[in-house]
Amino acid sequence: MKKDKHLILYKAIVLLLAILIVMLNNDKALSLNEIDKERIDFKTKKNEHNITLPLSIESVTELALKNSLEIQIAKYDAYRSRTKLKKEKSIFDTFLTLEADYRDNKQQLSSTIDNSHTRSKSFSMGIEKTLPTGSTIELEAADIRTSSSLSTVAVNPNYEASGAITLTQSLGKNFFGLKDRNEIKITKIDIENAEYSSLDSIERVIYNVQTEYWGLVLRDKILNIRNDMLNKANELYTRYEDKYSRGLAEEVDIFAAKANFQNRKNELLVAELERELVKNNLLFLLNEEDSSIDIKILDSLKTELLSKDVNTELKKAIETRRDYKTIENRLKSKDIDINIKKNSLWPEIDLEASFIKNGIRSSESDAWSDLSRENDSQTYVGISFNIPIENREARSELKEARLYKEQLLLSLKRVERLILKEAYNKVKSVNSLKSQTELYSSIVELQRNKLQEEMKRFNYGRSSSDAVIRYEEDLLNAELNLATTLYNYHISLIDLAITKNTLLDRYWNSEL
């Protein structure tokens, strides 16, 4: 009887200890939850003092177009190239020449025995201009006052007024200005190609911004998945602690559940770091210096899945690719250059004609009046030839230009095949990722249902920690695979757009 009393007392003490352990564990779990809640509340309060920037794919692209330093640098390449046109047209500039001089000559002359003393003052003004026809026109007016001690000078002192017009016409290499006009055409084509190059650079920046944006969307999704898995791991750990306290679970199960919980916390820390790094990369591309700014993503990875038609996309790519247009422009430029080189085989032939009229009087006003009344004039017409005998330089340049044109034709064919290959591969990638996304969506649903069924078995005590953790891991991997595939699908659409050079056109309609 005494032994029975001791046994009852022993069982009562064990029961009280078990109840106390459960209460302590509940208090610990509660305190952990409170700590987590405090951490979340602190983070929320901290965010209240920081700037949160809400961004969508459209708004982040608009910000990049306005703020990106790379885009601003790319624009200046086009701006600089445009200055070459005025430089090339400078051959048609008008030149004004002004000249004034004074001369006091006391030198002896061999034609007279008297000492001579001559003073002269002159002022002249001229205008010269080259026309697109290859003609050069010079207009000149001069006013000269001369006084001399020579007795042979009839009018002393005298004023001479003169006016002259000279026309020079090129008839050889620069036949009626053909070379000058063609070089301007080549410059315009070069400027257009420089603009294509700048647009390519700008589009590449937009590509980087959008891929980084979708990378941030992916990191947000992964963060949510990791957080959800941490909650599941915490729930499993709490349940095993309760079961262990009641003697319904083995120590190995609680070790496994705790290790799983710690592992999920570590994975969440890694996901938070990865999101922060991607966010900072995006802020850099947007030229934002304050890395404390947080970004609120307005888009999700879930989207309407679209298939692309290969033939339609290939045709569009050929029509819009800038590298194809660039080589076409180079071919046009080279055709013009070949015409210039052909004309370079010609000799230099210049036709020159001039008409000069003057008047000499003792009065300056009378001298200028004589220009309109008298017939004192000089007319000149002449032609000059400069013929290279071997002309090796011109022949070599013409041959080189023709060879370069043949090279450009081959390059055009190669770029055409490259465009077709790239566009074909990108279309196939889009369609394949669409199919993969649909499969992964069904896999996620199956893994979620599998875990739910296993948790029902767990509640009935018919499952182990190893099975539940393994099923949670299967669901985690399926959700991560789905998120990554959705991200790759969005990137593949951007890849296809940049392959066709149509990405920039969606967001920028203004001129460069």
Side-chain angles (χ1 to χ4, degrees), residues 98-109:
L98 299 172
E99 184 177 348
D101 64 67
Y102 170 78
R103 180 175 296 176
D104 189 351
N105 187 4
K106 297 179 181 179
Q107 293 179 328
Q108 288 188 352
L109 300 177

Side-chain angles (χ1 to χ4, degrees), residues 290-339:
D290 188 1
S291 59
S292 65
I293 293 177
D294 195 18
I295 295 178
K296 180 181 179 182
I297 297 299
L298 301 180
D299 294 299
S300 67
L301 289 174
K302 293 183 179 180
T303 184
E304 181 183 358
L305 301 176
L306 302 174
S307 297
K308 296 293 183 178
D309 180 67
V310 173
N311 294 328
T312 302
E313 301 302 325
L314 292 180
K315 182 179 179 181
K316 183 66 176 177
I318 291 294
E319 293 174 353
T320 55
R321 275 283 286 256
R322 297 188 194 95
D323 52 353
Y324 191 82
K325 293 179 180 179
T326 297
I327 296 182
E328 284 185 326
N329 278 345
R330 287 180 182 173
L331 279 169
K332 293 178 185 176
S333 176
K334 189 49 58 179
D335 284 336
I336 296 172
D337 186 49
I338 288 174
N339 288 332

Side-chain angles (χ1 to χ4, degrees), residues 340-364:
I340 294 175
K341 296 296 190 293
K342 286 180 180 179
N343 284 345
S344 296
L345 298 175
W346 293 17
E348 293 182 4
I349 306 173
D350 294 322
L351 175 65
E352 184 176 348
S354 64
F355 179 77
I356 305 173
K357 196 172 184 182
N358 75 333
I360 300 177
R361 289 292 183 269
S362 59
S363 168
E364 185 177 15

Side-chain angles (χ1 to χ4, degrees), residues 204 404 443:
R204 179 57 59 178
Y404 186 52
I443 292 172

Side-chain angles (χ1 to χ4, degrees), residues 82-93 187:
R82 290 171 185 168
T83 61
K84 296 179 182 178
L85 183 59
K86 285 187 177 180
K87 181 180 179 181
E88 200 63 43
K89 287 184 176 180
S90 64
I91 193 172
F92 302 132
D93 287 350
T187 301

